[in-house]
Every structure is written in structure tokens, then in C-alpha cells.
Amino acid sequence: MQDQAASVAATGSGTEFLDSAVEHVLRGSGASVAMLYLLPRGENTLRLTVLAGAPGQLATPWNRVNLSAPMPVADAVRHRCLIWLGSQEELARRYPRPALVLPYRFCLAAAPIRTGDRDRGGLVLLWPGAHPPELSAQERDAVVSGCRGMGMLLQQAESSGYPVLPGALPRVLPPPAPPVPEAARAAASMEFVQRLPGGSCALDLDGTICFMNDAAAELLGAPVSELLGTLPWESLPWLDDPGVEDHYRDAVISRRQTSFTALRPPDDWLSFHLFPSATGISVRILPADRPHPTDEPAPRRAGGASGPSRAAALYHLMHLAATLTEAVSTRDVIELAGDQIMPAFRLQSLVVMTSAEGRLRIEGRRGLHPTLMDRLDGAPLSSHTPAAHVLMTGVPGFFSDFTELERGYPTAGLRETVAACAFLPLIVSGHPVGALVLAYDRPRAFDPEERALLTSIAGLLAQALDRARLYDTKDRLAHSLQAHLLPHTLPRVAGLDIAARYLPATRGMGIGGDFYDLIRLDATTAAAAIGDVQGHNVNAAALMGQVRTAVHASAGAPPDEVLARTNRLLTDLDPDLFTSCLYVHLDLAGHRARLATAGHPAPLLRQPDGRTEALDLPAGLLLGIDPASRYPTAEIPLPPGAALALFTDGLVEAPGVDFDHATAALAEHFALALDQPMESVADTLVRYAKRCTPGTDDIALLLINALGSPG
């Protein structure tokens, strides 16, 4: 049973049923690359499940995409719309991270895959760079209908009891098979190739040499038998240059002809011309003149390496640097670093260790967890262990196999749990603050270039962790302050079922000014208030506390008077910040509610039969602008079974999201939760908000359900 579960985790389940659907979309849309993502139920991370038209290693940085990430597929799923990027310039403007890593000419569409109100995943399609900047109606229809069909397939599979589950790695579809010529045509084709000047070879989409004639082998200086089935930048050390592999990537992604010149030692210059298609890349190799000195490639290393090629290394390093700029918390840094580093270097485990009270402490980890790591956790900094040594000295340690590790630390009591490992210092401002531990499941020779690369990665990670720890400290202090300014518990009011939620923004917004309150006035009356102070800083939080106190002190007066008094107080204080506020007076015996608003979003009213709408209230000016402002009062019936949802705009507002559309969608979710306890309803609405507007603003929510007359 455990073996079966491990197999499903690695390869997924039922993903082959999506192959024909992906191929159908490619044919119908004319796209060259397709990336199908699935969103497992209850998760916030899209998983790349099926890839067509490109090798798996090119998609590695995007195997997992968080729904809150600034990526086209995440935005398409979150906003439930098709996103089109018709140029590299538009991609760079709207999504700088993928544009930095893929600086090639291509067009991109991302679309959601849904059934009913269930988000099931997303589809990304790439077109060659020669595609027009606009998506045609036929192409759009192919994308939309294809996503609809995939959604139906996923729903049918789930209904039959065999849901499609993504694996740890995507299913990579093979390119379309080329036609097999008859013997005479094949012989004529070979004669044609042999008569061409220079050399000819062919690469699979993954860069592997699948054909080469004798002329090409002679120019490259190696037998055909040694080159077939290899990557040219690995089997020919003088081609191990970042620019070479970059031209290959350009050809695969943009599907356009590209060329470059390289020096074959000692002094033979060759020009390479790449002609890509859906099945691979044809390469013409010709002798070339020596280029201008400023165009000469940088010196190349003499031999191969056990790690990634130089181009691949730079590719992953650049992507990691771009990714870490978006990390906010310590957890973000470790998760994002794991997503980038582990597949690139085939790691078994990644662990970040720091010091606390003179001992090693595991700050975070990804992947499998060798016993070695648990043995190091909690060890004194004075102990003779590799992690302690790295943290104290700042000198990295590389161990090609366990014997080498045990030889270096014979008294550490380390059990044979890893085949190879590296301990890298995390250095900030010249001082080691932690250690990055990388573990491998097989012996590994760390050559000098890979050691330098891993040390550079640790440096990037250290800087990101330092920023994240400062943010974490500030965030804890800020939200601790805000938590003390908000009510710890709401009073129990007979005749009401009440629930409240407050969620701080998740992406560096700091402390906010959202607040809510429920006030018991007497046996048959109560008051509710919700508001939002402009800004996200300590000043906003301090003003929020003053506004809440002022509303609480005036509660019981008519709603217009409560807001007018609070407004006069704010204008006297002159805080240079504006505040929205909604105040509700609840008459539980008379089954009525009286409301007044100061520029705050109108609440939702759900009738006992489930009909739900946003109330149309007379607008009042924001608090703190004009001391003479007036706030008209509206009165509505609130029969037993009716419910109110008071909320701040963080629940429905985000860049690119229509406010009215989002409010209507929120009302639908509120209506569907009829007859559920308010605590359950609050969780439902918050989950909806986190899906549609994740991390953009603070969220305050107050739900009030009228159960009937008190007693």
C-alpha cells in the first residue's frame, strides 16, 4: 500500500486521460507549447500535470505555482478569466519574473479550467514569436472550449471515483511522430544531406543529438558514435557556454531560426544555424571566420561536471534571484528556494538551520528528511558537527559520500543517512547567521564551479532570509498591536448568531486600520460597527483604535448621530487620514435595523428564504474630512432568519477585479450558506476571499443572523 501511494505521489493518477485533450487544444489553437495545471481540492498551489511541446527541464521552475504568485496562470485561475500576452514587452511589464527567465519572443495565453463554481486548474499555451500580437477569435474559441472539455473530463473522472491527481513531475508528451519515408526516399534524403556543404545534425526537443552526418562529426572533432544520444554542451566541453544553451532555448520557445559562432580549440571557428520545428531542431554547421574581438565568447572550462551545465546553472540562479525578490516571510523564502533548487540539483532534502540560545535550530526544510538532519537539530554550537562548524566559521563543507563526512566528523555520532551532502554558510553583512544543508541520495563529485554556484545560491538565500526575518519580526509586533486594538471576544447577545473574522494582508502590507465591533446596549437592542482607516501603518492602527473607542462611546444614539460625533472627533484630531465606517442599530424586539454609512461598502442582507442583495444605502462622506457632514439613516426590516454581512473592501477588492462583480459573487456564496451556523458561513466567505483576492488587503468580516426575539 505504501509503495502504491508513493507511486501515485511521484507519477500522479489518471493524468494520461488528459493527453488527447491537450493535443486537441494544440491542434485547434495552433499553439506550440501547452502546460496543463491542476489544482487539488483544498490546496492553493497549481501543479504542472501535463506538458507538451517543450522538454521537462525548461518547465521545472514552474512545476508548482502558488495561486497568489504574480504569474499568468495563477491570475487566470484566481480571476477566472483568459489572459493574453501578445509580446515580450507586455510579458515583462505585467509579469517581470517569467520575462526575466525567458527573454525570448513568444505569445502566451492562460485560461482557467472550471466546472460550476469549482476551480480545477489552468492551461498555459505558447505561440511562436512570429504570431500576431492579437489572439484570433478562432484561437480564443479553441482555448476556451478546450478548457471546458478538460473540466468535464476531470469532473467525470472524479464522479466515477477515480479523480485525476497530479504527480511530483509533469507528464511530458512526446512530439508528433514524423512520417516514415519509404526506403527509396530515405536514401535520397541521406544523399541530399551528404551533398550539402558543411555538416548537418538534428536535436530532439530536449537538446539530445539524434542524427549527425560524418561532415558534422569531422567539424566537431568527435566520432558520431560518441555524440549520438548526448547533449552537445555536455559531450563537447568547448560548447559548454551559457550562450550556446541559450540559443537552443530560444529556438525551442520562440520556434524561430537562430545562429551563433563558437571556437573549437585551438583556433577553428564554427557557425551553427538552428532551424526548429514541433519535432526537434535541425542544425547546420559551417566553418566561419574569426569574429570581432568584442564578440568572442568568454573562456570555457576544459572538462565536464557532475552538476548542471553552466547555462543551466545560470538559468536556475537567475530564476532563484528573481523568485526571492517576491518572498516576504521566512516560510516564503524556504518554500520558493526549495521549488527552484531541489529539481535543478536533484536534491533529496534542503534544510535551513540557524542558531538560538547557543544551539542549532532547523528553521525550515523541504523534501525527504534524513535522520542526519534530526541528529543535528538542537546540537550545541560548540559541538563537533558540520552544521555547527559552518555556522561558526563561515567555511562551507562538501562531502562527496558518507564515508568522507564520517571521516571529517568521526565523533559526531552521525549515522549513514545520506549519500552526499553540502553544508553552506548563510552570510549576512560578513557574518554567518545560519547554514544551508543540501542532501543527495547518491554520491556526488562537487567540482569547483558547482561549489561556487552552490555558495552563490546560499548567499542569495541568506540575504532573502535576513529580509524575511526582519519582516517576520515587524509583522509579529504589528499584528500583536492590532490584535489588542480589536475585540478579543464578541459579547453574547440573546437572539443573535454572530461570527467575526479578521485576516491581515499576507504580502508585506504591515499593520492595517480595519476594525469591527458588536455592542450590547440592553436586553432588546444591540449595535454593530465596521470600518477601515486609510493606510497600512502604525498611524492607521492607532487611529483605528480611536475611531472604535469613539463609536463604542456613542453607541445607543441614532446611527446618524454616532457617525457625526465620531466625524467631529476625527476632524478635531486632524490625523490626515480618512476613515470609512458603517454603523448598525439592531432592534431585536421590533425586528428592525437602522443603518448609516460613512463611505463604507454596503452590507449584504440575506432574507430568510435565501434571497441576498447588497443594500442600497444613502451615501455619507468619509470620516475626518468635513466636521459638518451629515449621515442619513436607512431603516430595514430584519425578520427572524434574516442575516447581515458587514465587511471591509479587502474581502472583494483587488487589482483587476471588478468591485460590483466580486460583491455579487460574495452575495452568491452568502446565499448558498443558508441555514448554516454563522461560524461556518464566515469560514466559507473567507476561503472565497483568499482565493479571489489573496493577500491584497486586510479583511474584516462581521456576520449577524437574527434568530428571533430575545428570550
Side-chain angles (χ1 to χ4, degrees), residues 26 31-34 51-59 128 172-178 201-211 230-233 244-256 274-283:
L26 281 175
S32 54
V33 177
L51 172 66
Q57 69 266 25
L58 284 188
V172 181
L173 303 187
C201 72
L203 309 178
D204 288 333
L205 279 183
D206 64 1
T208 302
I209 300 173
C210 58
F211 166 80
T230 69
L231 296 172
W233 43 85
V244 172
E245 198 169 346
D246 187 65
H247 281 288
Y248 151 74
R249 287 199 184 95
D250 189 2
V252 172
I253 298 298
S254 68
R255 292 287 203 270
R256 65 172 182 168
L274 282 62
F275 302 87
S277 74
T279 58
I281 301 174
S282 297
V283 183

Side-chain angles (χ1 to χ4, degrees), residues 275-653:
F275 302 87
S277 74
T279 58
I281 301 174
S282 297
V283 183
R284 293 284 295 135
I285 309 171
L286 298 168
D289 295 330
R290 180 183 181 90
H292 190 274
T294 58
D295 298 328
E296 291 186 17
R300 303 172 180 85
R301 61 182 176 182
S306 62
S309 66
R310 292 173 62 193
L314 290 175
Y315 176 73
H316 290 292
L317 185 61
M318 183 169 61
H319 197 281
L320 176 63
T323 301
L324 290 179
T325 62
E326 299 167 3
V328 174
S329 65
T330 301
R331 180 179 177 182
D332 287 343
V333 172
I334 295 171
E335 288 292 319
L336 291 172
D339 288 344
Q340 301 305 317
I341 299 173
M342 294 189 68
F345 293 91
R346 299 183 179 91
L347 292 173
Q348 179 187 14
S349 181
L350 177 150
V351 179
V352 173
M353 306 194 77
T354 57
S355 62
E357 299 178 351
R359 292 183 175 273
L360 293 169
R361 183 185 69 182
I362 292 181
E363 189 84 19
R365 54 171 56 175
R366 283 291 305 274
L368 301 178
H369 305 147
T371 310
L372 167 64
M373 309 308 169
D374 296 322
R375 172 68 181 83
L376 297 175
D377 192 23
L381 293 180
S382 58
S383 62
H384 187 58
T385 62
H389 181 265
V390 167
L391 199 149
M392 295 298 292
T393 65
V395 178
F398 297 92
F399 304 93
S400 300
D401 53 39
F402 185 80
T403 302
E404 192 174 319
L405 174 65
E406 195 170 37
R407 187 185 307 121
Y409 296 90
T411 63
L414 303 175
R415 293 183 290 275
E416 189 168 346
T417 53
V418 293
C421 55
F423 293 82
L424 305 162
L426 299 175
I427 298 176
V428 176
S429 300
H431 301 287
V433 297
L436 173 64
V437 186
L438 308 177
Y440 302 81
D441 58 2
R442 62 189 62 186
R444 185 181 189 86
F446 297 97
D447 70 6
E449 288 202 14
E450 187 174 8
R451 294 183 182 216
L453 173 64
L454 292 175
T455 303
S456 297
I457 287 174
L460 287 175
L461 193 60
Q463 297 296 327
L465 280 171
D466 188 51
R467 294 192 302 269
R469 293 177 76 175
L470 289 174
Y471 168 82
D472 287 342
T473 301
K474 177 184 175 182
D475 188 61
R476 284 193 298 268
L477 291 174
H479 289 111
S480 175
L481 170 62
Q482 189 157 31
H484 283 84
L485 293 173
L486 292 170
H488 294 288
T489 58
L490 294 176
R492 294 183 178 274
V493 178
L496 295 180
D497 180 15
I498 302 164
R501 295 290 185 273
Y502 170 75
L503 276 77
T506 60
R507 291 195 63 80
M509 298 296 284
I511 189 170
D514 289 14
F515 67 93
Y516 61 87
D517 210 348
L518 182 73
I519 306 155
R520 183 174 48 226
L521 300 175
D522 57 35
T524 60
T525 60
I530 194 164
D532 183 0
V533 178
Q534 174 192 12
H536 295 86
N537 51 40
V538 174
N539 293 335
L543 184 60
M544 176 266 283
Q546 292 173 312
V547 173
R548 179 172 171 253
T549 300
V551 171
H552 206 288
S554 303
D560 59 334
E561 185 61 29
V562 171
L563 292 184
R565 292 177 185 176
T566 305
N567 179 54
R568 287 193 293 271
L569 171 65
L570 289 191
T571 51
D572 288 343
L573 292 173
D574 191 22
D576 200 28
L577 294 173
F578 304 138
T579 303
S580 70
C581 185
L582 172 71
Y583 180 85
V584 184
H585 181 89
L586 301 165
D587 180 358
L588 306 180
H591 307 300
R592 312 287 295 177
R594 300 170 65 205
L595 308 91
T597 178
H600 196 82
L604 302 178
L605 172 63
R606 189 182 69 191
Q607 300 290 356
D609 61 2
R611 288 181 296 115
T612 305
E613 62 176 345
L615 293 176
D616 185 11
L617 301 179
L621 199 61
L622 290 167
L623 303 177
I625 297 178
D626 181 2
S629 292
R630 295 188 177 184
Y631 300 93
T633 299
E635 185 170 320
I636 62 169
L638 195 68
L644 286 169
L646 285 62
F647 56 92
T648 56
D649 56 11
L651 197 68
V652 292
E653 190 173 58

